[in-house]
Amino acid sequence: MIKKVHHVAIAVKNMDEALKLYEDIFGIKPSKIETVPQQGVKAALLPMSEGGEIELLEPIDQESGVAKFIESRGEGIHHICLEVENVDQELCMLADKGVQLIDKQGRTGLAGKIGFLHPKSTKGVLIELVQKDIKEKG
Amino acid sequence: MIKKVHHVAIAVKNMDEALKLYEDIFGIKPSKIETVPQQGVKAALLPMSEGGEIELLEPIDQESGVAKFIESRGEGIHHICLEVENVDQELCMLADKGVQLIDKQGRTGLAGKIGFLHPKSTKGVLIELVQKDIKEKG
């Protein structure tokens, strides 16, 4: 079951410029900035005070999905992430329903255990599922 | 001040098919479906149980922004909407900071009093601000 919109991810060319923009216009600061080598990105999470986050993604590998996204479409909204109770269980149920998946099993991501659905099955929308780390729950 | 991610809006060609998809794969049902003639769209709000919503937008006017978006980029994530306490005050502050705005003042939208920023000022991301109707607060 989907619990909530966990974050909206935005592909940016330059993380420092993007962080400055969101702080200047909205006063939002990052809670976490990390390099995620397996996804070829530097990522920052910008939480809102009452719920939901913006995730900024800067490619550090020109072969990464985010680099290719920016090359073909420019900077912009890259994916949405929905929070679930159990990501493996959810991916298994989706596979049973015939939904195409990028990840058949959950793997470690910036916000917890994650898995991506293929946009071919979701009308062009790249959807990530996340199961929050227990230490971050609440 | 930004309170939370209110919704993520997705441009779809066919509302009925999109509603069926989100119900089939995630079990999410719409809380509201309305035609918004001034934006040239039919819109549906799909709330998650613990926060955040997905908004589906089907163009009903081929000159609408959503129709043009689908024509040039295909179906996909169209904009994000951030909830604020006072939309007019926020738009005024943004204008003072030199942010380009689509709406200089709030107007009535599906989720409350809304206003759009121009993506030229936000690195290609179309951002809507919303101030929820008092009757819907809580």
Side-chain angles (χ1 to χ4, degrees), chain A residues 57-103:
Chain A
L57 298 172
E58 179 201 292
I60 52 169
D61 169 358
Q62 290 316 305
E63 291 305 307
S64 65
V66 175
K68 288 175 184 170
F69 176 93
I70 292 176
E71 200 180 311
S72 68
R73 306 179 60 153
E75 295 180 295
I77 306 171
H78 181 263
H79 69 262
I80 61 175
C81 178
L82 305 176
E83 188 180 330
V84 296
E85 192 62 42
N86 185 313
V87 78
D88 285 324
Q89 193 179 315
E90 206 71 37
L91 291 170
C92 183
M93 277 167 33
L94 290 167
D96 281 348
K97 290 178 185 174
V99 175
Q100 283 191 59
L101 302 174
I102 292 173
D103 299 300

Side-chain angles (χ1 to χ4, degrees), chain A residues 3-4 24 50-51 73, chain B residues 3-4 50-51 73 97:
Chain A
K3 296 168 76 172
K4 61 181 175 182
D24 284 352
E50 294 184 21
R73 306 179 60 153
Chain B
K3 296 168 76 173
K4 62 180 174 184
E50 294 184 21
R73 304 180 60 153
K97 289 177 184 174

Side-chain angles (χ1 to χ4, degrees), chain A residues 93-122:
Chain A
M93 277 167 33
L94 290 167
D96 281 348
K97 290 178 185 174
V99 175
Q100 283 191 59
L101 302 174
I102 292 173
D103 299 300
K104 291 197 172 64
Q105 281 199 315
R107 58 186 163 97
T108 303
L110 188 65
K113 192 172 183 181
I114 62 148
F116 279 90
L117 282 61
H118 198 290
K120 277 188 188 167
S121 280
T122 48

Side-chain angles (χ1 to χ4, degrees), chain B residues 29 34 50 120-121 131 136-137:
Chain B
K29 293 181 185 187
E34 270 180 33
E50 294 184 21
K120 277 187 188 170
S121 282
Q131 170 185 343
E136 290 185 23
K137 271 207 175 159

Side-chain angles (χ1 to χ4, degrees), chain B residues 35-108:
Chain B
T35 299
V36 190
Q38 64 273 31
Q39 289 179 44
V41 294
K42 188 177 181 181
L45 285 175
L46 284 65
M48 314 286 131
S49 59
E50 294 184 21
E53 308 193 5
I54 287 175
E55 182 182 60
L56 300 173
L57 298 172
E58 179 200 294
I60 53 169
D61 170 357
Q62 290 316 307
E63 292 305 307
S64 64
V66 175
K68 288 175 184 168
F69 176 92
I70 292 176
E71 201 180 309
S72 67
R73 304 180 60 153
E75 295 179 294
I77 307 170
H78 182 262
H79 69 263
I80 62 174
C81 178
L82 306 176
E83 188 180 329
V84 297
E85 192 63 41
N86 185 314
V87 78
D88 285 324
Q89 193 179 315
E90 207 70 37
L91 291 170
C92 183
M93 276 165 36
L94 290 167
D96 281 348
K97 289 177 184 174
V99 175
Q100 282 191 61
L101 302 174
I102 292 173
D103 299 299
K104 291 197 172 64
Q105 280 199 318
R107 57 186 164 95
T108 303

